Amino acid sequence: MATVDMSVLPSVSARARPVPLCPAVVGVCAWTEAAYEGELRILFDEEQLVRPAARSVSNQDVQPWCFYERQVFDTQSKMREVGSGKAVSDLGFDDRSAQQGACQREG
């Protein structure tokens, strides 16, 4: 009789990674809290002021998007690029502005 080594199977209590529930749009779903929680806002075009600020995002656009900690795409602030079809459960900062395209630092 064969036995199965249960030590290699994931624990039942292991936390599952949250999956963003985002409407089928060509744009970005942005949530006010990490793990795709809180208020949902959908971004279709650049936003010089994301209000309320976003903490987690799902990019369903065909282009990458750049998210900035400060308003008006301040390249001196923290920023994070999220590729097409990618989701980030915690940007690491509160996003206050966002625009379509790759992140680029000035200078």
Side-chain angles (χ1 to χ4, degrees), residues 30 78 80 105:
K78 291 180 185 176
R80 181 152 184 190
R105 291 227 181 253

Side-chain angles (χ1 to χ4, degrees), residues 20-103:
L21 295 175
C22 182
V25 296
V26 178
V28 172
C29 289
W31 291 266
T32 55
E33 298 175 27
Y36 319 110
E37 297 287 334
E39 186 178 327
L40 169 65
R41 180 170 181 197
I42 300 175
L43 309 175
F44 294 103
D45 201 359
E46 69 180 34
E47 296 282 336
Q48 292 187 9
L49 176 59
V50 175
R51 188 176 285 161
R55 189 71 186 196
S56 54
V57 297
S58 177
N59 180 4
Q60 298 184 153
D61 201 337
V62 296
Q63 299 292 323
W65 275 67
C66 189
F67 300 91
Y68 301 84
E69 182 179 34
R70 296 185 190 158
Q71 300 172 8
V72 240
F73 324 121
D74 183 346
T75 58
Q76 302 303 311
S77 70
K78 291 180 185 176
M79 64 178 82
R80 181 152 184 190
E81 185 175 319
V82 178
S84 175
K86 303 291 182 187
V88 176
S89 66
D90 189 345
L91 289 169
F93 56 86
D94 288 335
D95 167 57
R96 292 190 173 81
S97 60
Q99 65 181 347
Q100 190 181 48
C103 293

